[in-house]
Amino acid sequence: MVRAGLTRERLIRAGAELADEVGFDKVTVSELARQFDVKVASLYSHLKNSQELKTGIALLALEELADTGAAALAGRAGKDALAAFANVYRDYAREHPGRYAAAQLRLDPETAAAGAGVRHAQMTRAILRGYDLTEPDQTHAVRLLGSVFHGYVSLEMQGGFSHSAPDSQESWSRILDSLDATLRNWPAP
């Protein structure tokens, strides 16, 4: 008999909350069963295994990020859009470290194509239209932005900038200014 109230969606949300508390790498079906005080076997009617749980958390995180990003970008262009988008990633990582880690999970091509990751790429390309970049420069710029956002956020979350002045916010602002200048003056091949 399935325990009342347990659904795949509820388990994935609980897994996402657990990821934010203990770290994405520590989320398992067994740990989730402990959270709900049920036997592991009772969760297998909703989830095949821990990998399916982790994939569900990753898809949830990508969806949340895409929704927040779309709201932040509405009515913005150029540097304002670039900064808003970058701040969505940084703020999300700070507020939801486990979910942010989940969003980095490598998904199989079919799952990735059906998820919100596609929306992230579309939003990034929408920002870049304001800089008048064409292919292949646009793809290079998408990779640049993703690398800088993720790299900075990852280092900051690990305390990499907490040991010295100036404050990491000042560096973040300068990085966004530099990215804007780079995109406005993108080098021709």
Side-chain angles (χ1 to χ4, degrees):
M1 182 164 135
V2 175
R3 187 174 190 124
L6 290 184
T7 64
R8 183 178 190 283
E9 293 74 26
R10 184 171 179 213
L11 292 170
I12 288 171
R13 286 212 172 269
E17 291 171 17
L18 183 61
D20 288 338
E21 292 170 21
V22 302
F24 181 62
D25 59 328
K26 294 182 179 144
V27 174
T28 63
V29 173
S30 297
E31 186 58 35
L32 200 55
R34 277 192 282 283
Q35 293 281 317
F36 282 99
D37 195 27
V38 298
K39 294 185 183 199
V40 174
S42 67
L43 299 187
Y44 287 128
S45 62
H46 305 289
L47 297 164
K48 285 189 255 181
N49 51 37
S50 290
Q51 186 59 43
E52 184 179 352
L53 172 62
K54 288 188 172 198
T55 298
I57 296 168
L59 293 171
L60 172 66
L62 288 168
E63 187 74 33
E64 289 174 344
L65 266 167
D67 291 346
T68 306
L73 287 175
R76 297 177 190 233
K79 183 181 175 190
D80 191 34
L82 175 68
F85 195 60
N87 286 327
V88 162
Y89 280 86
R90 187 174 181 223
D91 293 345
Y92 189 83
R94 289 170 154 178
E95 293 168 23
H96 302 290
R99 293 178 207 211
Y100 181 78
Q104 312 311 311
L105 182 69
R106 185 179 184 139
L107 302 171
D108 66 78
E110 185 177 311
T111 302
V118 173
R119 288 176 55 205
H120 292 263
Q122 291 169 339
M123 286 186 285
T124 305
R125 289 181 184 278
I127 291 167
L128 293 173
R129 281 195 295 272
Y131 292 98
D132 200 28
L133 297 179
T134 58
E135 285 301 341
D137 291 330
Q138 196 176 86
T139 296
H140 296 310
V142 166
R143 292 172 179 166
L144 170 68
L145 295 179
S147 299
V148 171
F149 298 164
H150 179 65
Y152 192 89
V153 166
S154 296
L155 289 169
E156 185 177 45
M157 288 176 58
Q158 294 171 7
F161 307 131
S162 61
H163 60 281
S164 63
D167 182 72
S168 65
Q169 179 58 45
E170 184 178 336
S171 296
W172 181 249
S173 295
R174 285 185 165 211
I175 287 168
L176 296 179
D177 289 343
S178 296
L179 285 173
D180 175 62
T182 297
L183 293 171
R184 280 188 283 109
N185 300 300
W186 192 265

